[in-house]
């Protein structure tokens, strides 16, 4: 440990592990430490013993839940968009070799007191109860417009320059009902609130495309999920880093960050100092260099049945658009099951989450909890979200953001890119990063 | 991986030892290899990477740094009428500070747990790895305990063969002493593992799961192969698949 490193990374959450992997691949000498004796930090998946130790330290897991090893319970609910940036990074770093993915079986949206499947193809769209017959015609025109839109060809714009017009104008032009607007803005574009309406429509357009392209890739839903839980993801990138020479130390407390003239020069742990010019880490390692930006409440629920009205799906996402339940932010349900090797046979785990708006966060989840049917056990957490106060260029300390309330890893990738640029001065280009192994692979052959 | 010229020799010598039952070579050549994930475990510096390099490339290099960027090495092994393709995961040094991730041995069908016959403490560490595998890994995993550095036996043996053998028998492990340096017994380790892996069961479960080996209850279908490329069959770069 008494050595010099190009970068020292603190915390083995997904963001830190991706960065560690990318920097090692580029030949940087990386030391990666975590105060916990397991990988993943906030993005770990826990077995039953770990889960109870965290939420119910005075209680043993009940025997009805079966073997410890069958459980890998996520703390933060996220799925990967099949055609998103995260999947792109996985592929180009060859980390896909260590993981197996499975589709999420369906994506649902809540409207007028019931849930309906987000259509995944033409046939489903035609028979979907989400819109009446006339509204379907208007929506069809809207989707044809989106599909045909080309920023370089004004003939496709129908008078709407998406770089400048707000989304409200686009909705107005196609005469979409408020319920359809909820569907487009929240179930497809996955906005968490309605502030997007008055922003230029371009971002919403891009989000709709991301959803549609992801849906088109494997069908059923736009999401994929790693077998054995999200905790596999940081482990995969940590292995990438190690294979390119990164040094890993778990169960390693950080005593002190050592500065000279206001610049980081080392990290002190258990009496020894590792020298470095740059430190990357999650907010928990730098309480005096981060600010709170909000709070997320999450209920981890264990069920011994599929979620009602989902055709017994082994996994689903449900979006409850804010307006449908008189809120300012959407509520999400993310459910996975034994089919993903994250729960004992015939068990599901559903995480219900939203951005906190009141002083009784658990109560805010109520409309979503009511959709789950009988709940065998639930664990509630309220987490503060943090981001760095400075970009790190002055002191060499580059801090990542907390995992937000979005349902996928696209904002995590944005954070990876931001930190990468701040640390290296370059834009991240992931294509061709790793010489890919052409044979073998953990997947089917 | 790039071409590994010496891999042929290793495979050839394996074939000799593995086909005592007399497999039909013509028939075997047409068979699809059965992929088997094999992991190395054991204390740092007992010779795990050296054993892999001996097996895969039939070479030994004193103080060789681990191959940068090699996620895993592969080596085929012919057994009767089947071909096994070992996908060998080395630790990438993550065992050095007790930081090996559970993902590493997840779904492994075989594990080689290595100790150094000159270092009694390394056998204790090996035993704790065996325990961890029995607790966490695939229940059908085939585990081989290997005492490495047999070439140093005359001058520096610290672990009596009988002691390790007795432990292995009791714990239900394959056992041998070997030397990555001289190559003694190295091929046999992998051949013996190949013979013990329940291949029929493996193939049957894969048929059901539609993918590689799975733990509890993965239902059929729904697996996606991301190695096929980021674009996927339906992706429309720059466009929107509405
Ligand atoms: N004498 C002798 N040395 C060995 C043998 N196998 C490995 N070594 C040496 O032991 C050291 C550690 O080997 P390595 O393969 O890196 O161990 P690992 O950390 O378990 O992967 C190196 O210096 C090797 O050259 C062996 O069979 N005999
Ligand atoms: Mg090694």
């Amino acid at each position: 440990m008494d050595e010099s490193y190009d970068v020292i990374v603190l915390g083995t959450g997904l963001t830190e592990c991706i960065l560690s992997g990318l920097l090692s691949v580029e030949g940087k000498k990386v030391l990666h430490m975590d105060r916990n004796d397991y990988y993943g930090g906030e993005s770990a998946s826990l077995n039953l013993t770990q889960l109870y130790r965290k939420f119910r330290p005075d209680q043993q897991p009940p025997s009805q839940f079966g073997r410890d090893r069958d459980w890998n319970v996520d703390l933060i609910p996220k799925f990967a968009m099949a055609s998103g940036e995260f999947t792109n990074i996985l592929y180009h770093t060859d980390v896909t070799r260590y993981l197996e993915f499975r589709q999420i079986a369906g994506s649902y949206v809540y409207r007028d007191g019931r849930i309906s499947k987000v259509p995944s193809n033409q046939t489903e769209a035609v028979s979907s109860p989400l819109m009446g017959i006339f509204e379907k015609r208007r929506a069809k025109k809207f989707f044809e417009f989106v599909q045909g839109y080309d920023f370089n060809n004004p003939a496709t714009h129908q008078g709407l320059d998406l770089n400048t017009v707000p989304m409200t104008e686009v909705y107005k032009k196609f005469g979409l009902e408020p319920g359809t607007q909820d569907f487009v803005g929240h179930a497809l574009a996955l906005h968490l609130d309605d502030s997007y309406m008055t922003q230029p429509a371009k971002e919403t357009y891009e989000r709709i495309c991301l959803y549609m392209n992801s849906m088109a890739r494997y069908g059923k839903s736009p999401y994929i999920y790693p077998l054995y839980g999200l905790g596999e993801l940081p482990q995969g990138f940590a292995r990438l880093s190690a294979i390119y020479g990164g040094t890993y130390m778990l169960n390693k407390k950080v005593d002190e960050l050592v500065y000279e003239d206001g610049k980081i020069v080392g990290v002190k742990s258990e009496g020894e100092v590792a020298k470095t010019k740059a430190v990357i880490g999650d907010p928990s390692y730098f309480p005096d260099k981060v600010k709170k930006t909000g709070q997320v409440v999450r209920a981890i629920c264990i069920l011994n049945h599929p979620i009602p009205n989902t055709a017994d799906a082994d996994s689903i996402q449900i979006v409850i658009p804010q307006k449908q339940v008189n809120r300012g932010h959407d509520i999400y349900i993310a459910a996975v099951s034994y089919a993903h090797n994250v729960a004992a046979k015939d068990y599901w785990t559903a995480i219900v989450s939203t951005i906190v708006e009141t002083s009784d966060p658990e109560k805010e989840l109520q409309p979503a909890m009511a959709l789950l049917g009988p709940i065998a056990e639930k664990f509630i957490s309220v987490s503060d979200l943090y981001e760095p106060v400075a970009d790190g260029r002055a002191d060499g300390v580059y801090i990542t953001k907390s995992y937000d309330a979005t349902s996928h890893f696209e904002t995590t990738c944005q954070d990876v890119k931001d930190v990468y640029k701040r640390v290296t001065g370059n834009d991240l280009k992931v294509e061709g990063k790793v010489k890919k192994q052409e044979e073998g692979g953990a997947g089917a052959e | 991986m790039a071409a590994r010229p010496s891999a042929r020799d290793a495979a050839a010598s394996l074939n000799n030892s593995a086909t005592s039952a007399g497999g039909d070579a013509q028939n075997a050549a047409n068979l699809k290899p059965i992929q088997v994930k094999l992991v190395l475990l054991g204390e740092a510096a007992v010779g795990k990477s050296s054993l892999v390099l001996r097996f895969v490339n039939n070479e030994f290099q004193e103080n060789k740094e681990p191959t940068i960027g090699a996620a895993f090495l592969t080596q085929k092994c012919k057994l009767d009428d089947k071909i096994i393709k070992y996908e060998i995961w080395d630790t990438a040094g993550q065992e050095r500070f007790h930081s090996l991730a559970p993902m590493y041995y997840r779904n492994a069908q075989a594990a080689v747990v290595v100790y150094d016959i000159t270092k009694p403490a390394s056998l204790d560490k090996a035993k704790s790895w065996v325990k961890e595998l029995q607790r966490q890994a695939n229940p059908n995993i085939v585990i081989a305990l290997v005492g490495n550095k047999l070439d140093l036996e005359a001058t520096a043996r610290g672990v009596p063969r009988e002691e390790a053998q007795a432990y292995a028998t009791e714990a239900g492990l394959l056992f041998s002493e070997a030397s990555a340096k001289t190559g003694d017994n190295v091929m046999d380790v992998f051949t013996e593992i190949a013979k013990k892996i329940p291949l029929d069961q493996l193939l049957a479960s894969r048929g059901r799961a539609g993918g590689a080996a799975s733990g509890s209850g993965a239902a059929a279908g729904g697996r996606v192969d991301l190695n096929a490329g980021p674009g996927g069959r339906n992706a429309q770069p720059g466009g929107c698949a509405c």
Side-chain angles (χ1 to χ4, degrees), chain A residues 1 37 39 47 67-70 72 82-83 87-88 90-92 94-103 143-144 146-147 205 208-210 212-213 216-218 220 224 227-228 232-233 235-239 242-251 314 338-341 343-345 435-445, chain B residues 1-4 32-33 35 37 66-74 76 85 87-94 96-104 106-107 133-139 209-242:
Chain A
M1 155 120 206
D37 64 359
Y39 280 92
N47 64 31
R67 290 184 306 181
D68 211 25
R69 51 181 279 173
D70 290 339
N72 296 290
S83 293
T87 310
N88 196 42
L90 275 172
Y91 175 76
H92 284 289
D94 229 8
V95 169
T96 39
R97 294 282 177 207
Y98 315 135
L99 304 164
E100 266 191 88
F101 282 85
R102 206 181 146 88
Q103 277 180 281
F143 286 118
E144 281 165 1
V146 172
Q147 185 171 24
Y205 162 83
I208 295 170
C209 293
L210 171 62
M212 293 302 192
N213 289 334
R217 186 154 177 203
Y218 301 113
K220 285 195 199 172
I224 56 173
L227 293 187
Y228 301 100
E232 298 294 281
L233 302 172
Q235 293 179 47
F237 284 97
R239 179 163 169 80
I243 281 168
Y244 282 85
T247 301
Y248 275 82
M249 294 185 179
L250 295 185
N251 206 1
D314 63 31
Y338 64 99
H340 307 82
N341 301 355
K345 179 119 179 65
K435 188 168 161 287
K436 295 175 74 64
Q437 272 183 275
E438 80 278 6
E439 60 170 0
E445 218 184 28
Chain B
M1 295 302 297
R4 290 184 301 271
K32 231 176 149 189
Q35 200 157 307
K37 175 175 171 181
T67 327
I68 288 283
F72 38 72
L73 298 172
T74 57
K76 283 189 185 136
K85 185 165 145 203
E87 181 184 292
I88 305 169
W89 291 44
D90 199 355
T91 58
Q94 281 177 298
R96 206 143 49 100
F97 302 102
H98 319 289
S99 304
L100 210 53
M103 158 204 243
Y104 176 72
R106 201 179 303 290
N107 269 339
L133 287 172
Q134 287 170 340
R135 206 165 54 87
Q136 293 287 357
N138 169 3
S214 56
S216 62
R223 304 280 178 109
V224 297
D225 181 12
L226 288 180
N227 293 315
R233 52 195 141 87
N234 291 319
Q236 341 235 317
C240 192
C242 285

Side-chain angles (χ1 to χ4, degrees), chain B residues 43-50 64-66 90-95:
Chain B
E43 197 171 272
V46 294
K48 299 181 293 299
S49 302
S50 301
K64 190 179 183 290
E65 282 298 306
D90 199 355
T91 58
Q94 281 177 298
E95 81 284 19

